[in-house]
Amino acid sequence: QVQLVESGGGLVQSGGSLRLSCKASGTIFSIYVMGWYRQAPGKQRELVATITNTGYTNYAGSAKGRFTISRDDAKNTMSLQMNSLKPEDTAVYYCYRDSDRVRSWGQGTQVTVSS
């Protein structure tokens, strides 16, 4: 079983940057897909970005050009660098990891972007 712990959320002004991190612990398999979802109040959870163990990345249209997902397998950590943040990026951000046919979730971290 994998446990995921997010960090790095907070309050930032429009145009600012934040870096979210997600650290995995427990039974770690080397083949995986990890990523970030976000959920704003009153809205459905949406996929933001994903990364595989081979380094393949994919982004939602709203994140392209502004967000960068990365991984450090030696530290079992995934990060999301968010630049040029907008008020509409305000949401709870959740990391997840798919490995060995099991999806694990983090507890979520709040990102608030003020205008």
Side-chain angles (χ1 to χ4, degrees), residues 45-86:
R45 190 174 291 193
E46 64 171 345
L47 183 63
V48 178
T50 62
I51 188 166
T52 70
N53 58 287
T54 60
Y56 178 80
T57 60
N58 195 30
Y59 296 91
S62 58
K64 283 182 181 177
R66 300 188 300 128
F67 296 2
T68 302
I69 191 169
S70 62
R71 77 200 196 284
D72 184 339
D73 289 339
K75 296 181 179 179
N76 292 324
T77 298
M78 173 188 63
S79 297
L80 184 69
Q81 177 67 41
M82 304 187 293
N83 299 326
S84 301
L85 283 162
K86 306 173 182 180

Side-chain angles (χ1 to χ4, degrees), residues 94-107:
Y94 299 90
C95 71
Y96 78 92
R97 182 180 176 109
D98 288 339
S99 184
D100 197 31
R101 297 187 299 274
V102 174
R103 173 165 290 190
S104 303
W105 289 95
Q107 81 284 0

